[in-house]
Amino acid sequence: MSADPRSFRPRGVPSPDADQRPILIGLAGQPNVGKSTVFSILTGLSQEVGNWPGRTVERREGNARLEGRRFHVVDLPGTYSLTSNSEEEHIARDFILQERPDVVVMIADAAALERNLYLLAELLLLPIPVVLGVNMVDVARREGIEFDAHVLEAALGIPVVPMVASRNEGVSDLLAKAAAVAKGEITCEPDRPEIAESHREVFAELKTLMSAWLPEGVPADWAAIKLLEGDRQVTEQAESWLPEAHWTRVHELLLAHEDAVLDVAGARYEWIGRMVRAALRRPRLGQVSLTDRLDRLATHPAWGLVLLLGVFGAVFWLTFSLAGPVQTWLDERVVSSVAAGLERALSSAPAWVSGLLVDGVVAGAGIVLTFVPILLVFFLALGLLEDTGYQSRMAYVMDRFMHRIGLHGKSFLPLFLGFGCNVPAVMGSRVIESRPARLLTILLTPFVPCSARLLVLAFMVPLFFPAHPTLVAWGLVVGNLVVIAMVGLLLDRFVFGRERLAFVMEMPLYHVPNPRTIVLLALSNVWMFIKRAATVIVVVSVVIWVLVSFPGETVDESWLAAIGRTLEPVGQFMGLDWRLIVATLSAFVAKENSIAALGVIYGADADGLGRLLQAAVTPASALAFLVVNMLFVPCVATVAAIRQETGTWRWTLASVGLMLIVALLMGTIVYQLAAAAGLGAAGA
Amino acid sequence: MLKRLLHEAARGGVGSTRELSEALGVSESMIEAMMQELARRGLVEQASECRPGCEDCPVGPVCAGHGFGVWVLTDAGRRAASH
């Protein structure tokens, strides 16, 4: 490729020296490189603002003077390249090709030279000399980037001026270099990106096919390159410029070399790589930053996972240590006190009014209130992880494991949240971009044993299995996790299909966290959750209360009991009578309700309940009951969250149905196996 | 260079800009610049920008869109990488 800027000047246009006309400068650059600052310094009060002909994009131009020489500066729109992707890019290249500035001054950001030099790679293809102003060298220096203007100048073959435009440093020098180039005092022999060897032949043929037919001022090199990289505008124009036979051949060549699109741009990046390697010095490799040192551990395939599990363990420990007691205190002292006070105040009111307000409204609102400590600790922990920059490493390390069940690593975040409460866990699925992966996460989340289910487990296992509570509880939790993996694999394989996800993550630097930011973030999120969840939970709690309380005086005569008896034929497969079925059904409002339901049904406190249950329920039935309770349909708050997140009842019902099927299936398998193992008799 | 980057990025799973920079022997800044180039060509997209509805999401402020950039291949990118 060679478009010699010195030899190119349109016929009839004298050089600036010949007629003493102002030197025309096109000021180019990517957005946010300080181009406007340079333009303002150069042109001062002489700026004129209008629109580019036929466009809505603003055109700014003005005059400058240096040592008696006059300049006319046109501020080109900020563009990343000169390919016809946007109106700004059209304007910039049309200006250069049609208005023919004497020199193009390109401003680049010293701290982002790799990004900025792409535009230069394109400018150098055009037959106009270029001067490069490397701005913000002070910022780059603060980031540890040392930039050598002389080396870059030698490598590029064009003048390079280091600048700090915000302090008006280097701007005059830039203008002087531009004048010298325009007057021919400085010779530009730019090093340009090479075209890939596999496309050189076709490039040469394209040039030959087009060279005689191109309008004046359009270099054949540039037109051929633009065709190869799939420039829409040039492709359309080429069809009108060329005779039919030539265009047909050009079209054939382009079809046969479609891969040249990436090769042309790729060659520019190879060229950029050579330039920055020569002229930029970043912190030495041996001088490893804190982020590098931490990442050696945090992103290590094995140690990263160990660290991750440690962090999760710490979050769990914090949650149970800090939030657990507060949750219990809120339940016992606040919710129960309010309920008792309200019950006393309503002692003269009809029983149903008291029941509705105390057992329905207060109980429902109480559940929301007791969520708060768990949510607060989780949000504080997540805020901390995010603010330190560790969150991206979590997703990165987990990804390889989550992929086995068709999930992205970020699914781990909501699934992890599920151990606290399934509601924010379902909401947390929003961090997953892929809809299939998000739906899969939403369907799997309710299988994660939430704190309420763990509470039920901790309470019930010793009642049913006083001899081996730890073993049974551990087995149930592990079983739950195995079920999650199995369901995930099945859904991924048969419902969603394997989606081959590929992500590239930018890892932020580690930061010292800001406590104020984290606390405010956690508080605002908790408040947002309360506002949204409260209404749904309270309303549904009231509905369930009605089912439990009517039409008879006792639970035994309630509609819920009737439903339980209706379901007894199904329960038989799992060894569950209607009482255990009703207790399971009551967990729909909130998982911990099943404990209270058993107490009410059997008419006993916690101590007496254990003896009654061991006498009335066989170990096989008890095991099946616990398995079903661990896997049974999501609680009402989770259902509401699923509806909100999926935006459809179809997926909400699918989630409920899936859990119901899995719970019944696993309950039946466990019961039948336990019965076969001789645990089917009371006291076995 | 861009083709190699696209192939590396399309391998599946999560890759970091650091891994890619080591694989291609260029700086992370260069990788980020090239990812943006691929994005301009519609071959990758920023996947971590919050979707509509995320503004009132309780975990929105701690989600990926706020903490770190995630690039994902588009259909065109997957097709280009498979060629």
Side-chain angles (χ1 to χ4, degrees):
Chain A
M1 283 181 287
S2 62
D4 184 353
R6 290 165 300 168
S7 64
F8 181 87
R9 186 160 300 286
R11 278 190 294 268
V13 178
S15 75
D17 263 348
D19 65 346
Q20 287 300 302
R21 66 175 176 81
I23 293 172
L24 179 58
I25 293 178
L27 190 60
Q30 294 188 353
N32 306 316
V33 294
K35 188 162 65 72
S36 297
T37 309
V38 174
F39 179 74
S40 296
I41 292 170
L42 289 175
T43 58
L45 296 174
S46 72
Q47 287 184 30
E48 291 171 23
V49 180
N51 275 8
W52 289 89
R55 314 273 188 175
T56 54
V57 178
E58 196 175 76
R59 173 174 173 142
R60 300 196 306 156
E61 52 196 308
N63 299 313
R65 266 184 183 278
L66 181 74
E67 295 168 359
R69 176 158 290 283
R70 291 179 300 132
F71 300 84
H72 186 70
V73 185
V74 178
D75 186 16
L76 300 175
T79 60
Y80 291 99
S81 71
L82 290 180
T83 307
S84 63
N85 288 323
S86 68
E87 196 173 18
E88 286 78 7
E89 288 168 345
H90 272 289
I91 289 169
R93 79 180 192 189
D94 285 353
F95 170 81
I96 295 168
L97 285 171
Q98 290 164 15
E99 296 194 35
R100 312 278 168 70
D102 296 298
V103 60
V104 170
V105 170
M106 184 188 135
I107 308 297
D109 175 357
L113 215 50
E114 288 96 338
R115 198 166 297 170
N116 286 206
L117 288 186
Y118 191 86
L119 178 62
L120 182 66
E122 289 221 64
L123 283 170
L124 293 178
L125 292 175
L126 296 169
I128 304 291
V130 180
V131 173
L132 178 66
V134 181
N135 193 17
M136 299 191 259
V137 289
D138 55 336
V139 177
R141 201 169 292 132
R142 280 203 295 273
E143 291 180 16
I145 301 169
E146 289 295 332
F147 153 73
D148 190 326
H150 296 295
V151 174
L152 186 61
E153 190 168 274
L156 287 170
I158 61 168
V160 175
V161 180
M163 305 162 59
V164 183
S166 59
R167 296 204 299 261
N168 197 3
E169 289 176 14
V171 180
S172 297
D173 193 19
L174 183 73
L175 204 57
K177 286 275 170 61
V181 166
K183 285 157 63 181
E185 293 167 6
I186 295 178
T187 306
C188 294
E189 290 178 355
D191 182 316
R192 298 186 174 89
E194 292 289 329
I195 193 155
E197 197 171 341
S198 53
H199 302 303
R200 279 185 196 156
E201 210 170 301
V202 68
F203 172 69
E205 191 175 347
L206 283 173
K207 270 199 328 181
T208 309
L209 283 165
M210 292 197 300
S211 55
W213 306 97
L214 293 172
E216 187 181 327
V218 177
D221 286 354
W222 179 80
I225 283 284
K226 284 289 153 192
L227 282 178
L228 278 176
E229 68 173 308
D231 187 292
R232 277 194 301 271
Q233 191 189 36
V234 174
T235 308
E236 284 165 15
Q237 288 174 331
E239 193 174 359
S240 63
W241 292 334
L242 301 179
E244 196 177 340
H246 282 224
W247 169 247
T248 305
R249 177 61 187 151
V250 165
H251 192 58
E252 281 172 9
L253 289 171
L254 294 180
L255 282 178
H257 290 265
E258 276 184 329
D259 60 329
V261 173
L262 279 183
D263 279 335
V264 170
R268 287 182 191 140
Y269 279 103
E270 277 166 26
W271 174 83
I272 292 169
R274 275 196 289 124
M275 296 301 144
V276 295
R277 266 198 299 278
L280 282 193
R281 266 190 300 123
R282 294 181 183 280
R284 289 196 312 276
L285 281 177
Q287 202 177 337
V288 185
S289 68
L290 175 67
T291 293
D292 289 328
R293 282 200 297 273
L294 290 174
D295 269 352
R296 279 184 189 163
L297 175 70
T299 62
H300 189 274
W303 293 115
L305 191 65
V306 171
L307 178 68
L308 180 72
L309 293 176
V311 169
F312 285 147
V315 173
F316 259 128
W317 178 79
L318 272 175
T319 304
F320 287 127
S321 310
L322 298 178
V326 182
Q327 190 182 21
T328 308
W329 180 84
L330 279 172
D331 195 28
E332 290 174 359
R333 301 297 170 125
V334 179
V335 179
S336 300
S337 299
V338 170
L342 196 62
E343 205 165 7
R344 279 196 300 277
L346 296 170
S347 55
S348 55
W352 72 266
V353 174
S354 171
L356 175 67
L357 292 175
V358 175
D359 300 329
V361 176
V362 174
I367 290 168
V368 175
L369 188 64
T370 58
F371 278 158
V372 170
I374 285 181
L375 284 172
L376 187 63
V377 174
F378 262 121
F379 280 126
L380 284 171
L382 287 177
L384 182 72
L385 295 176
E386 194 273 337
D387 210 37
T388 54
Y390 180 63
Q391 194 198 35
S392 59
R393 278 80 181 176
M394 284 166 57
Y396 178 79
V397 170
M398 275 313 298
D399 175 75
R400 57 200 72 186
F401 296 96
M402 303 305 286
H403 259 258
R404 292 183 189 279
I405 54 172
L407 293 174
H408 176 232
K410 277 191 281 177
S411 300
F412 194 77
L413 187 68
L415 289 177
F416 170 64
L417 271 173
F419 282 98
C421 173
N422 287 176
V423 175
V426 170
M427 291 177 172
S429 65
R430 289 184 187 193
V431 300
I432 302 154
E433 302 79 24
S434 155
R435 183 165 168 81
R438 189 164 65 241
L439 284 171
L440 183 51
T441 306
I442 289 174
L443 291 182
L444 289 181
T445 297
F447 285 104
V448 178
C450 64
S451 61
R453 259 180 286 180
L454 293 174
L455 183 73
V456 172
L457 197 70
F459 184 84
M460 288 192 178
V461 170
L463 294 182
F464 287 114
F465 301 96
H468 306 288
T470 309
L471 182 66
V472 174
W474 181 83
L476 286 165
V477 172
V478 170
N480 237 62
L481 298 179
V482 171
V483 167
I484 290 172
M486 284 168 55
V487 173
L489 280 169
L490 290 172
L491 286 176
D492 176 44
R493 188 172 179 81
F494 296 111
V495 180
F496 297 109
R498 170 64 70 174
E499 191 188 17
R500 189 163 174 259
L501 295 170
F503 291 87
V504 176
M505 283 186 183
E506 290 172 13
M507 302 284 190
L509 297 175
Y510 287 107
H511 312 283
V512 175
N514 182 335
R516 182 182 157 79
T517 308
I518 296 169
V519 169
L520 286 177
L521 180 82
L523 290 177
S524 67
N525 287 332
V526 168
W527 177 238
M528 210 182 293
F529 167 79
I530 291 172
K531 276 197 298 187
R532 192 167 35 224
T535 47
V536 177
I537 292 175
V538 170
V539 168
V540 177
S541 298
V542 169
V543 172
I544 297 292
W545 173 83
V546 170
L547 286 175
V548 173
S549 308
F550 294 98
E553 289 289 314
T554 63
V555 174
D556 206 23
E557 297 163 346
S558 68
W559 282 315
L560 206 61
I563 294 168
R565 289 200 183 90
T566 311
L567 295 173
E568 249 180 352
V570 179
Q572 281 175 0
F573 292 105
M574 297 167 283
L576 305 183
D577 65 6
W578 77 265
R579 292 171 183 81
L580 294 177
I581 291 172
V582 166
T584 306
L585 288 178
S586 69
F588 179 62
V589 177
K591 295 295 176 187
E592 57 270 35
N593 275 8
S594 53
I595 299 172
L598 281 177
V600 172
I601 292 166
Y602 283 94
D605 59 15
D607 290 338
L609 185 60
R611 287 191 297 276
L612 283 170
L613 286 174
Q614 285 167 48
V617 181
T618 68
S621 296
L623 211 50
F625 173 73
L626 290 170
V627 166
V628 171
N629 267 271
M630 288 292 278
L631 300 169
F632 189 56
V633 295
C635 70
V636 66
T638 306
V639 170
I642 294 172
R643 168 69 184 84
Q644 183 176 314
E645 293 309 309
T646 60
T648 163
W649 280 110
R650 191 162 64 93
W651 283 109
T652 311
L653 293 175
S655 172
V656 172
L658 176 69
M659 289 200 76
L660 191 59
I661 290 168
V662 172
L664 297 180
L665 188 67
M666 294 308 294
T668 304
I669 291 172
V670 166
Y671 175 74
Q672 298 298 337
L673 287 176
L679 297 173
Chain B
M1 180 85 89
L2 281 179
K3 267 186 186 169
R4 280 181 62 205
L5 175 62
L6 198 61
H7 282 297
E8 290 289 335
R11 283 189 174 187
V14 168
S16 68
T17 45
R18 175 164 306 172
E19 282 176 343
L20 291 173
S21 78
E22 284 166 6
L24 270 66
V26 296
S27 68
E28 275 188 80
S29 307
M30 187 82 162
I31 294 292
E32 286 162 19
M34 287 196 285
M35 292 306 288
Q36 284 173 353
E37 180 63 35
L38 291 174
R40 281 196 291 278
R41 292 171 185 273
L43 301 174
V44 300
E45 62 183 356
Q46 270 277 13
S48 52
E49 288 165 2
C50 278
R51 297 290 185 254
C54 285
E55 59 278 1
D56 59 346
C57 172
V59 292
V62 291
C63 91
H66 296 262
F68 51 98
V70 178
W71 297 95
V72 62
L73 265 69
T74 61
D75 289 340
R78 278 191 286 272
R79 278 198 303 276
S82 66
H83 282 163

